[in-house]
Amino acid sequence: MNVRFDLPPDLSASAPPEARGLARDGVRLLVASPESVHHTVFSALGEHLRPGDLLVVNTSGTLPAAVDALRGGRPIVVHFSTSLDDGSWVVELRAPGGPLLDGRPGERLDLPGDASLTLLAPAAQGSARLWRAAVSAEVTGVLAAAGRPIRYGYVPRAWPLSDYQTVFAREPGSAEMPSAARPFTPALVTGLVTEGVLFAPLLLHTGVSSPEAGEPPQAERFRVPATTAALVSWARDRGGRVIAVGTTAARALESAVSDGAVHAAEGWTDLVLGPDRPAAVVDGIVTGLHAPDASHLLLLEAVAGATVVQRAYDAAVAQRYLWHEFGDVSLLLRH
């Protein structure tokens, strides 16, 4: 990873912007390109877009994916990450200090409502953090009855699920919010459309985001509709920029590329964008600010280049932008 910076602990957003007296689109926006860095607010996004630009958005909704459990009589939290094709789930066991790495195949945990969870096997070779697990009840029912949004230590109090949904959310399935799209409001979207900016939907259900050091991104379920693929081709042919709203949208869109073009596709993607696999069709990305050791930084480099990303993060630290899902946002442009 080429981008390096130190993140002061007081730059983690601890609450939604609405709790800080801001509208959703009132968070700060840092616009970085090879030519310049500009500081503004998200409601002014349209000033940095052109008619014919295409914003690709993720329509995945956020699940209440954190559930209290008992492990040998001791309370812990289970994070439900990903639903697998055979009905099992990828889960993470958590304590207040972080992930629990001592799971055992066959271990049984008690869930609310007389449900139970049995660990089957590690979800990835060489990782002790994520487990494939069988659940005795319908997981969506367990989450609806007893789940809450996943949150980490920098968010000290609970917030309702509605604070973790974006305006584009249509199909629940993400363990954590595709947060780059959170600042969009219906009024902002309407204004951008009126100015000739295009929108295209896709789907990627994201899993939990707290990897161990050096752990690659997990495989995720995605879908790129034929109409979105056609809009990408249309915009590129006419000189419009294809801008992914979030790392999830970038990963899904690039997973549908073959022979230099986007095609309708769905299934599972294990694509890891980075220096060895730069973005083929994504020209820019709207994205939150990621932690220094996050694999997402490699994806940002794959889209905008290491120089632009480094310049953006240096400026964000210097200007005291706020990090994480309730924080500020950047627009990184390749050219």
Side-chain angles (χ1 to χ4, degrees):
M1 189 177 300
N2 296 315
V3 174
R4 294 286 185 268
F5 64 97
D6 293 320
L7 177 61
D10 63 335
L11 294 189
S12 295
S14 60
E18 298 92 315
R20 308 195 301 268
L22 299 175
R24 280 198 176 213
D25 61 3
V27 297
R28 300 170 74 186
L29 173 68
L30 186 155
V31 183
S33 69
E35 293 76 33
S36 65
V37 172
H38 185 78
H39 303 283
T40 183
V41 294
F42 196 81
S43 58
L45 175 65
E47 296 176 9
H48 302 276
L49 301 175
R50 303 191 294 252
D53 284 346
L54 176 66
L55 295 180
V56 182
V57 300
N58 186 2
T59 59
S60 179
T62 310
L63 296 169
V67 176
D68 291 324
L70 290 176
R71 185 189 194 196
R74 302 189 312 274
I76 67 165
V77 176
V78 175
H79 287 179
F80 285 84
S81 179
T82 305
S83 171
L84 300 178
D85 293 337
D86 63 359
S88 64
W89 278 74
V90 175
V91 301
E92 180 186 34
L93 310 185
R94 302 280 300 191
L100 296 169
L101 306 179
D102 59 346
R104 306 181 308 277
E107 183 178 3
R108 182 180 179 277
L109 287 76
D110 296 319
L111 299 175
D114 295 325
S116 64
L117 176 152
T118 302
L119 301 182
L120 301 176
Q125 186 174 5
S127 174
R129 181 177 70 95
L130 298 177
W131 283 80
R132 187 167 59 85
V135 183
S136 66
E138 180 62 42
V139 170
T140 54
V142 173
L143 299 185
R148 59 185 180 275
I150 289 174
R151 62 186 172 96
Y152 298 107
Y154 55 82
V155 180
R157 58 151 287 189
W159 298 95
L161 184 62
S162 58
D163 283 333
Y164 291 85
Q165 303 291 6
T166 76
V167 71
F168 305 112
R170 293 294 181 272
E171 185 175 327
S174 282
E176 299 182 21
M177 173 175 53
S179 57
R182 192 184 192 279
F184 282 91
T185 64
L188 178 57
V189 172
T190 301
L192 292 172
V193 170
T194 302
E195 294 164 7
V197 176
L198 307 172
F199 285 80
L202 51 68
L203 181 78
L204 185 140
H205 291 320
T206 183
V208 295
S209 67
S210 55
E212 297 174 271
E215 184 179 292
Q218 301 295 311
E220 294 169 318
R221 195 189 306 272
F222 81 105
R223 182 172 67 245
V224 176
T227 49
T228 293
L231 276 169
V232 170
S233 296
W234 187 93
R236 297 181 77 207
D237 288 346
R238 288 158 179 78
R241 296 173 296 184
V242 177
I243 298 173
V245 178
T247 57
T248 60
R251 189 186 200 195
L253 194 62
E254 292 288 336
S255 297
V257 172
S258 62
D259 300 322
V262 176
H263 302 274
E266 64 179 305
W268 291 88
T269 178
D270 58 3
L271 175 66
V272 179
L273 291 168
D276 297 332
R277 172 45 169 101
V281 298
V282 175
D283 301 305
I285 186 166
V286 175
T287 177
L289 294 164
H290 302 286
D293 57 351
S295 62
H296 296 87
L297 292 171
L298 288 173
L299 187 151
L300 302 185
E301 292 181 35
V303 172
T307 300
V308 170
V309 179
Q310 185 70 65
R311 182 182 299 164
Y313 274 75
D314 288 344
V317 172
Q319 296 296 318
R320 298 189 60 76
Y321 277 62
L322 294 180
W323 257 249
H324 301 304
E325 66 269 24
F326 292 140
D328 297 315
V329 184
S330 62
L331 168 61
L332 307 179
L333 299 169
R334 182 161 54 190
H335 54 75

